[in-house]
Amino acid sequence: SQQGEEDPQALSIQEGENATMNCSYKTSINNLQWYRQNSGRGLVHLILIRSNEREKHSGRLRVTLDTSKKSSSLLITASRAADTASYFCATDEEDSGNTPLVFGKGTRLSVIA
Amino acid sequence: DAGVIQSPRHEVTEMGQEVTLRCKPISGHDYLFWYRQTMMRGLELLIYFNNNVPIDDSGMPEDRFSAKMPNASFSTLKIQPSEPRDSAVYFCASSLLQGGLFSYNEQFFGPGTRLTVL
């Protein structure tokens, strides 16, 4: 079953602008992770935020988590053409037993130079 | 470390043929996952292993699909017989459950195998 739903499905911005992607989920989680996938490549882990954290930074990435709204956002500041990729959120559901990460369908980001 | 290694990178075959995809996880990782990605269905988990033991294969679409992990450094995904609707990119990923917490850490993905069944 699909847990994370990214929004928007596609986003096109100019180089230098900020890009914001959102993820909503349905159940309680242990952590939420964001991944990037360049065309023709595998997914690459970007950042993990635990359920007791509200915000996390890594370079130009900023992730927020609102467990009361069951949502997360990924902000990429000062975007570059190289940021063009699909971005996925993945949730580690609490009390899921052996169920591993559940991935959303992703947001396709295009950064135009 | 070389990361997760998958072979072949591309496979073109005819309907009815057997296809075997291979994966070498990152050394020391105790979880291995097989995914399928298509435009229509996104990323689907097919099966995953913990310490070489299959834990959940409920994502395997049909009996035509089978997966094995004979040792910690090798896994295969086999499709027999293959059908055109099996055309997709198949990813292998591995991860390490750390610290005794039942919380899944980041997964490391291989480059994928693009399968085309004619």
Side-chain angles (χ1 to χ4, degrees):
Chain A
S1 62
Q2 184 170 309
Q3 167 80 311
E5 292 272 356
E6 292 91 343
D7 168 61
Q9 289 187 323
L11 179 62
S12 183
I13 60 174
Q14 296 289 325
E15 202 167 32
E17 294 180 338
N18 295 341
T20 300
M21 288 158 272
N22 303 296
C23 171
S24 59
Y25 57 92
K26 297 182 177 67
T27 65
S28 297
I29 59 172
N30 292 314
N31 68 61
L32 184 144
Q33 304 177 26
W34 285 92
Y35 289 76
R36 182 187 72 223
Q37 183 180 32
N38 290 90
S39 180
R41 304 286 188 91
L43 280 71
V44 174
H45 182 265
L46 294 175
I47 197 165
L48 180 155
I49 186 165
R50 301 196 185 281
S51 59
N52 61 354
E53 297 175 312
R54 290 297 166 259
E55 188 170 311
K56 205 161 183 180
H57 296 256
S58 177
R60 294 183 295 113
L61 304 181
R62 174 177 161 248
V63 170
T64 60
L65 179 64
D66 187 334
T67 53
S68 66
K69 295 181 179 178
K70 292 186 170 54
S71 68
S72 173
S73 67
L74 171 67
L75 168 67
I76 304 174
T77 60
S79 63
R80 306 167 182 168
D83 295 328
T84 294
S86 292
Y87 292 81
F88 296 84
C89 68
T91 50
D92 171 21
E93 297 180 5
E94 196 176 73
D95 300 328
S96 64
N98 282 323
T99 306
L101 296 180
V102 181
F103 286 83
K105 290 196 172 181
T107 292
R108 293 190 310 280
L109 173 66
S110 298
V111 181
I112 303 166
Chain B
D1 199 318
V4 176
I5 299 172
Q6 290 187 248
S7 65
R9 293 294 310 276
H10 302 273
E11 177 81 33
V12 180
T13 189
E14 292 189 346
M15 184 174 63
Q17 296 297 306
E18 177 180 296
V19 175
T20 299
L21 311 180
R22 297 173 177 80
C23 174
K24 176 179 168 56
I26 292 174
S27 177
H29 280 190
D30 53 358
Y31 279 84
L32 183 139
F33 306 85
W34 281 101
Y35 292 91
R36 177 172 70 176
Q37 187 178 41
T38 61
M39 288 294 292
M40 290 297 294
R41 301 173 71 93
L43 193 67
E44 302 174 276
L45 177 65
L46 300 177
I47 184 171
Y48 73 100
F49 296 82
N50 177 217
N51 293 321
N52 314 338
V53 176
I55 302 301
D56 186 353
D57 65 355
S58 60
M60 298 283 260
E62 299 170 34
D63 291 344
R64 298 183 296 107
F65 287 67
S66 63
K68 294 182 180 180
M69 192 165 185
N71 57 63
S73 59
F74 183 65
S75 177
T76 60
L77 177 68
K78 186 177 292 187
I79 308 172
Q80 165 64 15
S82 58
E83 296 183 3
R85 60 193 166 122
D86 302 331
S87 296
V89 181
Y90 290 81
F91 289 103
C92 174
S94 68
S95 71
L96 179 65
L97 191 65
Q98 295 176 332
L101 296 173
F102 200 80
S103 173
Y104 285 92
N105 288 310
E106 64 177 292
Q107 294 184 13
F108 294 80
F109 282 74
T113 295
R114 181 173 295 278
L115 173 65
T116 302
V117 183
L118 303 174

